[in-house]
Amino acid sequence: MKLHKGHLFDVVNAAFMIAFCATTLFPFVHLLSLSLSTGNVPLTTIHLIPPEMTLANYKKVFTNEFVLSGFMNTLLRTVLGTALSLAATIFAAYPLAKRFFPHRTFWTGFIVFTMFFSGGLIPNYLLIKNLGLMNSVWALVLPSLVSAFSLVIARNFFMAIPESLEESAKIDGANDIVILFRIVVPISMPIIATLALWTAVSHWNAWFDSLIYMTDSHKQVLQVVMRRIVLLGTKDMMDLNSYEDPNLAVNPETIKAATLMVTIIPIVMFYPFLQKYFVKGVLVGSLKG
């Protein structure tokens, strides 16, 4: 039986995607298995199921004061930074999407110009220090409050919304604020969800600014704590105020794996709540024209 060219393509494409997904999931599953393994498991072998399962590694991680404070600092930064960034982006992109906005082409070009040039590390550090934002969450949120790329994306999406919707609302007596929150924002949930995911992932994974602006160890974000545990060793970081049980064997590698899982899982769980908006975005795009 001969395969049709279309069927052959489907078979090859499916095989490629299965192989690609397997290579993507394999390191994650191995890391999860290692984080649930005891310290007696040989690290020279790769296994997907823990030969000896234990939660001692996670107990060691969750009872460490630096991990707990880092997790709370990262959570605060992500929630606060994402909310403020979305608000600022929407308030800036909506006026730029209007044809009657004075010199909107100039202001859009001015914003795009900032994507290619920046003040540099030293001026940014001096600015944050002189503003008194050191060891504050605002030092991590305010410098990246508005992304020029996200602003342009939101502006283009708002421009695709039919003007007849807003004109009908104005006839009914709605002002610009009511139109923005009652009409534009609900229609724009797909792009808002996309920008929220981008911003949240960016804040959750960021560590360099915290390393520079946070001199207090208890105000460091989780990524900095993870960096110190994974790259600089675990003894000094994990021995302080940590869970101890002489009957449970752990080693630095299994603790590193548990720390990585604690860092990865929360942001991975964030995606399913926004997935429906990505699918809906295909239908919303048909409003243009």
Side-chain angles (χ1 to χ4, degrees):
M1 180 179 180
K2 294 183 179 181
L3 288 177
H4 191 268
K5 290 184 178 180
H7 295 164
L8 181 60
F9 173 79
D10 292 339
V11 171
V12 174
N13 189 37
F16 173 78
M17 294 303 300
I18 292 174
F20 179 77
C21 292
T23 56
T24 304
L25 293 176
F26 182 80
F28 182 82
V29 175
H30 170 65
L31 190 67
L32 177 62
S33 175
L34 185 61
S35 68
L36 294 172
S37 301
T38 63
N40 300 323
V41 175
L43 301 177
T44 56
T45 59
I46 298 177
H47 49 271
L48 301 180
I49 300 177
E52 300 178 13
M53 184 174 295
T54 180
L55 296 177
N57 300 306
Y58 288 96
K59 292 179 180 179
K60 190 83 170 178
V61 170
F62 281 116
T63 53
N64 180 267
E65 62 174 347
F66 293 110
V67 174
L68 293 178
S69 62
F71 184 87
M72 296 306 299
N73 293 332
T74 300
L75 184 62
L76 174 62
R77 171 187 183 165
T78 302
V79 174
L80 182 62
T82 302
L84 293 179
S85 179
L86 286 177
T89 301
I90 292 174
F91 287 141
Y94 182 66
L96 289 175
K98 300 305 174 184
R99 297 180 179 179
F100 55 82
F101 185 78
H103 311 293
R104 72 166 184 168
T105 302
F106 168 78
W107 293 116
T108 303
F110 184 79
I111 293 172
V112 173
F113 179 80
T114 62
M115 297 174 62
F116 302 97
F117 300 94
S118 64
L121 179 60
I122 296 177
N124 287 335
Y125 176 82
L126 294 177
L127 177 62
I128 295 298
K129 183 178 181 180
N130 293 333
L131 290 176
L133 299 179
M134 298 292 291
N135 287 316
S136 171
V137 67
W138 300 111
L140 310 178
V141 172
L142 293 182
S144 59
L145 184 62
V146 178
S147 169
F149 179 77
S150 299
L151 181 59
V152 173
I153 294 294
R155 169 187 174 271
N156 294 339
F157 190 93
F158 291 155
M159 291 177 62
I161 298 177
E163 296 181 358
S164 58
L165 294 177
E166 300 184 28
E167 293 174 355
S168 300
K170 288 183 178 180
I171 293 175
D172 294 335
N175 55 31
D176 291 332
I177 300 298
V178 174
I179 292 174
L180 176 61
F181 287 102
R182 299 288 297 272
I183 297 178
V184 176
V185 170
I187 291 178
S188 305
M189 284 307 298
I191 191 62
I192 293 176
T194 302
L195 297 180
L197 182 61
W198 289 349
T199 307
V201 171
S202 176
H203 278 293
W204 185 269
N205 292 331
W207 61 273
F208 187 69
D209 52 356
S210 177
L211 188 65
I212 296 176
Y213 302 135
M214 300 297 176
T215 58
D216 188 350
S217 299
H218 292 87
K219 293 186 177 181
Q220 296 285 6
V221 297
L222 183 60
Q223 302 296 339
V224 175
V225 177
M226 182 192 69
R227 176 179 178 272
R228 292 177 177 176
I229 293 176
V230 174
L231 298 181
L232 304 181
T234 60
K235 181 176 176 52
D236 295 336
M237 293 296 297
M238 300 306 299
D239 284 348
L240 185 59
N241 295 336
S242 296
Y243 175 87
E244 295 290 347
D245 189 342
N247 298 322
L248 297 175
V250 296
N251 62 46
E253 296 302 323
T254 56
I255 293 178
K256 291 178 182 179
T259 306
L260 290 172
M261 293 304 301
V262 170
T263 306
I264 294 173
I265 290 178
I267 197 63
V268 171
M269 295 176 60
F270 184 65
Y271 175 77
F273 296 98
L274 300 179
Q275 183 180 6
K276 62 178 181 180
Y277 294 109
F278 288 102
V279 177
K280 185 179 178 182
V282 178
L283 300 177
V284 174
S286 63
L287 288 175
K288 182 177 180 180

